[in-house]
Amino acid sequence: MLARHLSRQLKLPNYSTFNAPEAQLEHPAGRVPYTEALTFLGGPTPEQRIPAYRTLTDASQELDAAQLPHPITQALGVKMYQAMASLQTLDTLCYEAQRQGRMSFYLTSTGEEATVVGSAAALDPQDMVFAQGRQMPIHYGSRELCYQTISSPLATQMPHAVGAAYAMKLSGASTVAVAFFGEGAASEGDAHAALQFAATLAAPVLFICRNNGYAISTPASEQYKGDGIAGRAAGYGMAAVRVDGGDARAVYNAVAEARRLALQGTRLPAGHRYRTADEMRAWRARDPVSRFRGWLQGRGWWDEMQEQALRVATRKEVMDALDAAAAVPKPPVSCLFTDVYKNMPGHLKAQMDETFELVKRHPELVPLGVPVA
Ligand SMILES: Cc1ncc(C[n+]2csc(CCOP(=O)(O)OP(=O)(O)O)c2C)c(N)n1
């Protein structure tokens, strides 16, 4: 009686058929077969890894068997290349500006040009982007581009993206939210909460992990076990694809397809694995920008003259922007204290006076062009 009651409650199979070879367990996760083998699956070093999808060889040759559900037109290909080459120029000049002391901090996207441009190209202008930064002042934001201002604490952008996606779903919008993150950020609790909420709420959100093998000085080998970040998707009940992040055509196709499926009700985290820690030098030789340019040139969509003109124009654009930024008067040191309270509390006043004393004794601490008060 109790057994029959329990089996009805737990939806267990009828006990009389319990030992039949075809018997299956009605598990909360779905119907699963029984086994007499005591086998532990998975582990820190999986035997099989998710392969990396690519469409071009490193030498820019098209791979004939590559599945391309979203072909790239000449106009789009040229636009993508211009963005990738401009990003390279921006990186070079800003990196130099930082080394000359003209900027407080800068980090390049070297090697990630295809990942960021290829994925952005696959989005709708109304899709909401939640990107990851590393440190001010390179925490961009743009209302016009639906690009949320980057928040400094790692991985907080991931649950934000899920919330935005869920709101889109409830309002019946046909847009998606996109969370970009690094494999280091994927270790934060927020990352797991976001993946879990996204899966259970069926929110139209894409998780795009840029796995560049390092979180500052922590190598990926110390960051996680198992098959990377894309390998986690199965546990959350999400579909995932691993992409060669140096192949802009592959990234574009993967993100466009993920977006289509997400709007159909499937959630896809896209794991971009494109470099291991040991492949640093080899990766530098695999410049995604020249790889994509080689493909464009092979099709007759781009030539040397266009290349020269683009490089000169973007260089001028970045230099002009740097000069314009340098000409803006710097805020004084005192505004560290004056822009918080209307009436400054005593302890803050004491800190301000102490700071003034300090910079009087050590004027070299104040960056060039910054007034004290
Ligand atoms: C919660 C939190 N912890 C630490 C930091 C400092 N921090 C800034 S960037 C970074 C590394 C991020 O690595 P990853 O997510 O792999 O992205 P990558 O910078 O390699 O693109 C760290 C630890 C932070 N911003 N927020």
Side-chain angles (χ1 to χ4, degrees), residues 107 112 132-135 151-155 181-186 188 210-216 223:
L107 271 172
E112 299 186 8
Q132 177 169 313
R134 285 151 182 162
Q135 192 172 311
S151 99
S152 293
L154 287 175
F181 61 105
E183 84 288 348
E188 288 286 341
R210 299 168 296 94
N211 189 344
N212 55 23
Y214 276 94
I216 306 185
Q223 193 70 249

Side-chain angles (χ1 to χ4, degrees), residues 33-207:
Y34 284 110
T35 175
E36 284 73 43
L38 179 58
T39 311
F40 290 81
L41 298 176
T45 318
E47 277 168 27
Q48 281 203 329
R49 292 182 183 273
I50 301 171
Y53 164 70
R54 67 170 184 162
T55 74
L56 298 175
T57 65
D58 283 357
S60 311
Q61 299 302 307
E62 292 185 358
L63 290 158
D64 291 340
Q67 294 182 346
L68 296 160
H70 305 274
I72 294 176
T73 61
Q74 176 172 1
L76 177 63
V78 167
K79 194 172 173 199
M80 284 168 64
Y81 180 71
Q82 286 170 332
M84 289 166 73
S86 303
L87 177 55
Q88 242 176 7
T89 308
L90 177 77
D91 276 352
T92 307
L93 294 176
C94 287
Y95 185 68
E96 280 168 15
Q98 188 207 344
R99 301 201 72 172
Q100 292 160 2
R102 296 179 70 197
M103 270 176 85
S104 58
F105 188 79
Y106 192 77
L107 271 172
T108 68
S109 295
T110 306
E112 299 186 8
E113 298 91 344
T115 309
V116 292
V117 174
S119 49
L123 301 179
D124 183 274
Q126 298 306 313
D127 291 341
M128 188 62 77
V129 175
F130 295 78
Q132 177 169 313
R134 285 151 182 162
Q135 192 172 311
M136 293 287 275
I138 45 170
H139 284 183
Y140 312 115
S142 164
R143 183 189 292 269
E144 190 194 342
L145 299 175
C146 292
Y147 187 101
Q148 293 279 335
T149 301
I150 285 166
S151 99
S152 293
L154 287 175
T156 49
Q157 77 276 16
M158 296 174 72
H160 294 167
V162 180
Y166 190 48
M168 289 169 184
K169 177 178 166 167
L170 294 182
S171 69
S174 54
T175 51
V176 300
V178 189
F180 286 90
F181 61 105
E183 84 288 348
S187 296
E188 288 286 341
D190 271 351
H192 297 282
L195 293 166
Q196 169 69 0
F197 269 117
T200 52
L201 296 174
V205 53
L206 309 184
F207 293 102

